């Protein structure tokens, strides 16, 4: 096999505060598919994942569980590792941020950055979210007392801390991003980082904490521990043997820079701003690419224990099997937009794609080979027994089939280079669909009735066995167990990718098994949902207990911060409830005539002919509409850009101040007459174009 060089891929390291759900597990599955594919394609692959084990949240969860932080993370990291193994991941190292070699290097890195003037001692005062391990300025808090990312309570934090001089490297990073368009993918993530963070100007970053002790100690500053992001991000180099003194392990010299950091879109900022700036300060080359994948949503909502809508990989595997779960999460996740998972959707996809398209194809091929030819199929090249017209059709069927099968590798290769893994599976299953069509075209059961056509039948079944083998060779990185089981039953073997552009490269005959197994059985939705309800009932009970513990902890923290102020007092002002004019009742049919969707404002400017109007360009799905709104008194154009808003999209277009308006942005009117935009709930990611109803 051709050696195409090295390929170093990493995932974000999983936080050890609890069990990862299927949305988190999707990342490790996708990374494994990429790593396996690159190995099969001739690359020397290094694949690293791991666990992030420090921080205040860990310290708090451990205390609640009656364990030391180290005991707590040992247990949780073990669960994460077993879950990654369960879904078949082939990582080379599972790094833990409590590993001695990592902790030693983090201390050396921190000291090096301090001594060269990139880190300085200061004082922090602001709002802190323990759940996200992140600080926020007052302007970033959209809903009072709530984290703008996860919606958890924030509390005021004041402490001495060390800070990193981010501004020092900002211009250099901007230049790198502009000259390396492949660095941040998809492009929408790059635009977000540039427009929302880099171009407005970076603030210096807090890189130590002194209000808790569970972290890597700053060895020259007693009482300080390294803040989680500087600690966690450096795993990508410490896990290869990077040494701040220059005595690097050969692994680092061989595999760095990383070819791909695969991460969730919610932590793109940390990986494309903080991480490259840390590397610049250390004089280390930047990773080649950071890909911020979208989220896998449960029925369109972000998974949350408090909602009781979390799906875990081990529960999915118990019901559907490992490869079915791997197939679903990769196939259903779009390149850029969020994907959706429900128990029902998984069952439907297994029935339609895995049981019908692939499983049925393999079972029919083996069954007919055994029934008509004793299990051995050969490429005879004969059209004996066929009329000239039949032979011409048969030749056309063979040529078209071979063209589809041999073209698949190049198509998949192109999609994988773009990290469009879902599209790779679509291309592979196009091969299986073509093979099923070939069965219908050639009708082996008709050929099998006529002894004179047995040679033609043998060629047809040979083509099917060869075509399936080539298809599952491409499928193997995504569904390794299924691919191995299939070729074992067909009497063939997984092919090297470099052989997949030629049909029949493995020889002229195959002998299939006489004891075939069903690859994927069809599922009964009702039976599946009975099992699911048992799982979800246990989960709801556990979530309720954890939520109660979280609430008690937050209340205690708030009481400590506020001097144990009572929850409500007579002195508190009652909320003013506006008088609303009652309108005639409408039926559900009347309401159904209106179409409401989520829109994202991508540009906005004041209307020159008016003191009241703003003209916004609103992205709704793949469409951009112009909407004119009378809210200039309450919002500036700059405030509008980037907001997600609620829009009525089937309102008849109208001209306002000479501009065409193609919809209406919804607002609420306060008692004083001021307007406030109706926006999706803070902390919940709702894609532009989502229907409201």
């Amino acid at each position: 096999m051709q050696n195409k060089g090295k390929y170093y891929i990493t995932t974000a390291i999983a936080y050890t505060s609890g069990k990862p759900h299927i949305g988190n597990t999707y990342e490790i599955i996708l990374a494994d598919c990429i790593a396996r594919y690159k190995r099969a394609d001739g690359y020397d692959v290094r694949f690293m994942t791991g666990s992030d084990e420090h921080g205040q949240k860990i310290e708090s969860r451990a205390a609640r569980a009656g364990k030391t932080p180290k005991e707590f993370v040992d247990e949780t990291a073990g669960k994460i590792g077993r879950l990654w193994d369960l879904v078949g991941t082939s990582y080379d190292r599972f790094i833990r941020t409590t590993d001695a070699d990592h902790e030693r290097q983090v201390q050396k890195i921190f000291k090096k950055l301090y001594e060269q003037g990139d880190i300085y001692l200061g004082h922090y005062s602001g709002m802190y979210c323990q759940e996200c391990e992140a600080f926020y300025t007052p302007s970033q808090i959209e809903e009072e007392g709530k984290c703008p990312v996860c919606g958890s309570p924030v509390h005021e934090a004041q402490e001495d801390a060390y800070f990193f001089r981010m501004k020092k490297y900002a211009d250099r990073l901007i230049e790198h991003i502009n000259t390396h368009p492949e660095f941040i993918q998809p492009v929408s993530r790059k635009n977000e980082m540039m427009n929302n963070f880099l171009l407005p100007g970076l603030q210096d970053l807090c890189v130590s904490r002194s209000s808790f002790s569970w972290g890597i100690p700053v060895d020259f500053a007693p009482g300080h521990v390294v803040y989680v992001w500087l600690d966690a991000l450096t795993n990508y180099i410490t896990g290869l043997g990077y040494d701040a003194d220059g005595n690097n392990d050969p692994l680092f010299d061989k595999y760095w820079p990383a070819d791909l950091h695969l991460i969730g879109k919610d932590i793109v900022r940390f990986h494309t701003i903080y991480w490259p700036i840390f590397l610049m300060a250390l004089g280390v080359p930047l990773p080649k690419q950071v890909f911020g994948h979208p989220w896998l949503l449960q029925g369109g909502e972000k998974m949350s224990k408090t909602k009781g809508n979390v799906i875990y990989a081990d529960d999915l595997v118990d019901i559907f099997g490992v490869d079915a779960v791997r197939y679903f999460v990769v196939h259903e996740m779009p390149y850029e937009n969020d994907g959706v998972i429900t128990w029902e959707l998984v069952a439907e996809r297994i029935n339609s794609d895995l049981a019908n398209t692939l499983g049925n194809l393999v079972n029919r091929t083996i069954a007919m080979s055994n029934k008509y030819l004793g299990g051995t199929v050969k490429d005879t090249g004969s059209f004996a027994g066929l009329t000239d017209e039949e032979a011409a059709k048969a030749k056309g069927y063979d040529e078209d089939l071979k063209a589809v099968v041999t073209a698949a590798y190049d198509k998949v290769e192109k999609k994988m280079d773009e990290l469009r893994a879902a599209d790779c599976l679509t291309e592979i299953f196009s091969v299986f669909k073509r093979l099923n069509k070939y069965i219908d075209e050639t009708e082996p059961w008709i050929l099998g009735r006529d002894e004179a056509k047995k040679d033609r039948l043998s060629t047809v079944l040979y083509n099917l066995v060869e075509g399936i083998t080539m298809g599952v060779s491409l499928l193997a990185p995504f569904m390794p167990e299924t691919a191995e089981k299939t070729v074992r039953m067909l009497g063939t073997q997984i092919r090297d990718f470099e052989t997949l552009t030629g049909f029949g490269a493995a020889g002229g005959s195959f002998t299939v098994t006489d004891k075939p197994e069903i690859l994927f059985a069809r599922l009964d939705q009702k039976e599946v949902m009975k099992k699911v309800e048992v799982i979800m009932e246990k989960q709801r009970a556990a979530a309720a207990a954890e939520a109660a513990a979280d609430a008690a902890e937050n209340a205690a923290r708030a009481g400590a911060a506020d001097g144990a102020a009572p929850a409500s007092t007579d002195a508190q002002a009652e909320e003013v409830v506006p008088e609303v004019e009652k309108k005639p009742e409408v039926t559900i049919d009347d309401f159904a005539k209106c179409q409401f969707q989520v829109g994202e404002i991508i540009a906005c400017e004041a209307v020159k002919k008016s003191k009241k109007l703003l003209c916004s360009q609103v992205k709704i799905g793949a469409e951009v509409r112009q909407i004119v709104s009378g809210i200039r008194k309450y919002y500036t154009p700059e405030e509008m850009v980037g907001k997600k808003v609620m829009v009525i999209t089937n309102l008849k277009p109208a001209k306002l101040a000479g501009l065409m308006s193609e919809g209406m942005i919804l607002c609420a009117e306060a008692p004083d007459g001021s307007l406030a935009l109706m926006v999706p709930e803070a902390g919940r990611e709702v894609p532009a174009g989502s229907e409201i109803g």
Side-chain angles (χ1 to χ4, degrees):
M1 181 184 295
Q2 179 185 1
N3 183 352
K4 294 185 178 180
K6 68 92 179 174
Y7 190 86
Y8 178 37
I9 179 174
T10 71
T11 69
I13 50 177
Y15 200 47
T16 48
S17 59
K19 180 180 178 181
H21 57 60
I22 188 59
N24 308 128
T25 311
Y26 158 74
E27 184 177 301
I28 191 73
I29 292 174
L30 176 60
D32 182 68
C33 293
I34 296 170
R36 286 176 182 267
Y37 184 91
K38 291 295 183 181
R39 291 191 194 105
D41 205 28
Y43 287 89
D44 178 1
V45 174
R46 180 79 180 178
F47 173 21
M48 193 168 76
T49 186
S51 54
D52 179 4
E53 303 185 12
H54 293 123
Q56 188 174 10
K57 182 162 60 172
I58 298 296
E59 189 174 75
S60 175
R61 295 281 170 90
R64 183 193 302 172
K67 304 177 187 293
T68 67
K70 187 62 167 66
E71 290 171 338
F72 183 84
V73 296
D74 283 348
E75 180 180 314
T76 311
K79 290 178 181 177
I80 294 168
R82 287 190 292 275
L83 190 58
W84 284 186
D85 293 340
L86 174 67
V87 295
T89 52
S90 57
Y91 52 83
D92 295 290
R93 178 174 179 181
F94 186 99
I95 189 172
R96 298 178 56 186
T97 56
T98 54
D99 287 345
D101 59 336
H102 172 79
E103 291 193 338
R104 183 169 59 254
Q105 285 304 322
V106 169
Q107 288 181 317
K108 291 170 72 173
I109 288 169
F110 195 100
K111 188 174 183 179
K112 178 178 181 176
L113 295 175
Y114 175 75
E115 289 178 344
Q116 66 189 35
D118 289 311
I119 290 178
Y120 64 91
L121 182 62
H123 181 81
Y124 183 82
S125 178
M127 305 308 294
Y128 179 71
C129 172
Q130 179 176 299
E131 191 68 22
C132 294
E133 300 276 6
F135 293 100
Y136 298 100
T137 62
S139 63
Q140 292 174 309
I141 306 295
E142 297 176 0
E143 183 179 353
E144 188 175 355
K146 297 290 184 67
C147 172
V149 175
C150 72
S152 298
V154 293
H155 64 277
E156 189 169 352
Q158 297 184 20
E159 59 186 279
D160 289 335
Y162 284 90
F163 290 81
F164 189 99
R165 301 183 193 277
M166 304 300 289
K167 300 185 189 72
K168 178 179 175 181
Y169 296 93
D171 289 344
R172 183 175 161 190
L173 178 58
I174 290 171
E175 181 183 3
H176 181 84
I177 293 172
N178 285 332
T179 56
H180 296 77
E182 75 288 349
F183 178 56
I184 305 176
Q185 292 294 319
V187 174
S188 59
R189 313 273 189 258
K190 182 195 80 169
N191 294 339
E192 180 185 357
M193 294 303 107
M194 291 289 281
N195 296 333
N196 293 356
F197 299 102
L198 281 166
L199 295 179
L202 289 179
Q203 301 297 313
D204 286 353
L205 179 69
C206 177
V207 289
S208 82
R209 300 294 306 278
S210 56
S211 58
F212 60 90
S213 60
W214 179 238
I216 300 174
V218 177
D219 53 3
F220 61 84
H224 286 264
V225 295
V226 180
Y227 186 40
V228 63
W229 284 108
L230 180 58
D231 169 9
L233 289 165
T234 52
N235 91 88
Y236 302 127
I237 55 176
T238 65
L240 288 177
Y242 168 81
D243 181 68
D245 295 332
N247 302 313
N248 300 326
D249 188 281
L251 272 180
F252 178 80
D253 296 329
K254 178 179 181 180
Y255 287 106
W256 191 263
D259 293 87
L260 177 64
H261 286 326
L262 184 67
I263 58 166
K265 65 179 182 179
D266 52 327
I267 54 174
V268 168
R269 172 165 55 108
F270 304 100
H271 285 78
T272 61
I273 297 178
Y274 302 161
W275 177 226
I277 284 179
F278 293 156
L279 290 171
M280 287 175 177
L282 291 170
V284 174
L286 272 56
K288 295 179 182 179
Q289 188 171 80
V290 179
F291 184 84
H293 65 75
W295 287 336
L296 190 61
L297 304 178
Q298 214 292 44
E301 291 186 321
K302 193 175 179 182
M303 292 184 208
S304 164
K305 288 183 181 180
T306 57
K307 296 178 188 173
N309 68 343
V310 179
I311 297 177
Y312 294 105
D314 50 353
D315 292 329
L316 285 164
V317 168
D318 284 345
I319 295 178
F320 302 117
V322 172
D323 273 11
V325 173
R326 287 172 64 101
Y327 175 80
F328 181 88
V329 297
V330 175
H331 184 271
E332 296 301 308
M333 185 70 85
Y335 176 74
E336 189 166 354
N337 298 322
D338 294 332
V340 175
I341 182 172
T342 66
W343 295 94
E344 295 90 343
L345 280 174
V346 179
E348 288 175 13
R349 183 61 70 190
I350 289 171
N351 284 343
S352 63
D353 291 3
L354 302 185
N356 285 357
T357 300
L358 177 57
N360 195 37
L361 169 65
V362 174
N363 292 336
R364 292 168 77 190
T365 299
I366 293 173
M368 289 187 293
S369 298
N370 282 316
K371 180 177 181 179
Y372 299 121
L373 299 172
T376 299
V377 298
K378 298 179 181 179
D379 182 13
T380 66
S382 172
F383 297 99
L386 304 183
T387 66
D388 290 345
E389 182 179 354
E390 289 172 337
K393 284 185 177 180
K395 185 177 181 181
Y397 295 148
D398 291 359
E399 290 176 349
D400 186 69
L401 175 73
K402 293 175 183 179
V404 170
V405 173
T406 55
Y409 167 69
D410 287 339
K411 292 179 179 179
V412 172
E413 179 84 346
K414 182 178 179 181
K415 298 296 185 185
M416 186 57 84
D417 284 345
E418 298 171 348
L419 300 180
R420 295 182 180 272
D423 294 339
C424 291
L425 286 175
T426 298
E427 293 291 352
I428 294 167
F429 271 72
S430 293
V431 172
F432 300 139
K433 289 176 181 177
R434 183 63 188 87
L435 288 161
N436 276 306
K437 182 182 177 183
Y438 182 72
I439 293 176
D440 295 335
E441 292 169 338
T442 56
E443 299 179 318
W445 53 90
I446 301 295
L447 297 174
R449 297 174 191 167
D450 188 341
E451 190 66 31
K453 298 178 180 178
K454 283 292 179 73
D455 283 348
R456 171 58 187 162
L457 172 62
S458 184
T459 296
V460 167
L461 292 172
Y462 171 90
N463 289 343
L464 287 168
V465 171
E466 174 74 350
I468 294 169
T469 299
M470 294 173 72
V472 297
S473 294
L474 284 172
L475 185 65
F478 304 90
M479 303 175 68
E481 291 182 6
T482 297
E484 288 292 347
K485 186 175 181 180
T486 300
V487 296
R488 186 170 64 250
M489 292 194 295
L490 293 176
T492 61
Q493 59 185 3
I494 300 294
R495 306 283 169 77
D496 289 340
F497 282 0
E498 60 191 16
T499 70
L500 297 181
T501 55
F503 200 89
S509 69
F510 307 111
T511 300
V512 303
T513 183
D514 59 353
K515 296 178 181 178
E517 303 172 50
I518 295 175
L519 281 179
F520 296 97
R522 285 190 59 82
L523 300 170
D524 183 317
Q525 285 270 20
K526 291 182 179 178
E527 292 303 313
V528 168
M529 294 313 295
K530 286 180 183 178
K531 297 176 182 178
V532 169
E533 185 52 39
V534 173
I535 291 170
M536 299 309 290
E537 185 58 40
K538 291 179 181 178
Q539 187 186 126
R540 284 191 287 268
E546 186 167 331
D550 282 340
E553 185 176 314
N554 288 329
R557 186 183 300 113
D562 300 336
S568 63
T569 69
D570 293 336
Q572 289 177 315
E574 293 186 3
E575 182 181 6
V576 178
V577 181
E579 291 282 337
V580 179
E581 179 185 353
K582 302 297 183 183
K583 295 184 178 181
E585 288 185 346
V586 297
T587 67
I588 191 65
D589 292 331
D590 293 323
F591 179 80
K593 293 176 183 177
C594 297
Q595 184 169 24
F596 300 91
Q597 289 176 269
V598 174
E600 181 178 4
I601 299 175
I602 59 175
C604 183
E605 60 182 5
V607 177
K608 294 180 181 178
K609 298 180 182 180
S610 172
K611 295 181 179 180
K612 297 181 179 180
L613 300 178
L614 293 178
C615 181
S616 302
Q617 303 302 315
V618 185
K619 181 182 178 185
I620 303 168
E623 179 185 13
V624 176
R625 293 194 183 188
Q626 177 171 283
I627 300 179
V628 180
S629 310
I631 55 176
R632 186 171 172 179
K633 181 178 178 181
Y634 310 105
Y635 293 90
T636 65
E638 292 77 15
E639 287 178 306
M640 294 288 287
V641 175
K643 287 187 179 295
K644 295 279 185 68
V645 293
M646 299 185 184
V647 182
I648 180 167
T649 55
N650 64 336
L651 190 66
K652 185 177 180 180
K655 274 194 174 182
L656 298 173
L659 297 174
M660 186 61 69
S661 183
E662 303 168 292
M664 179 184 290
I665 296 174
L666 302 185
C667 294
E669 184 175 1
D672 62 359
S674 63
L675 299 179
L677 292 169
M678 302 293 290
V679 298
E681 181 179 346
R684 295 194 182 185
E685 181 69 16
V686 183
S690 300
E691 189 166 3
I692 301 167

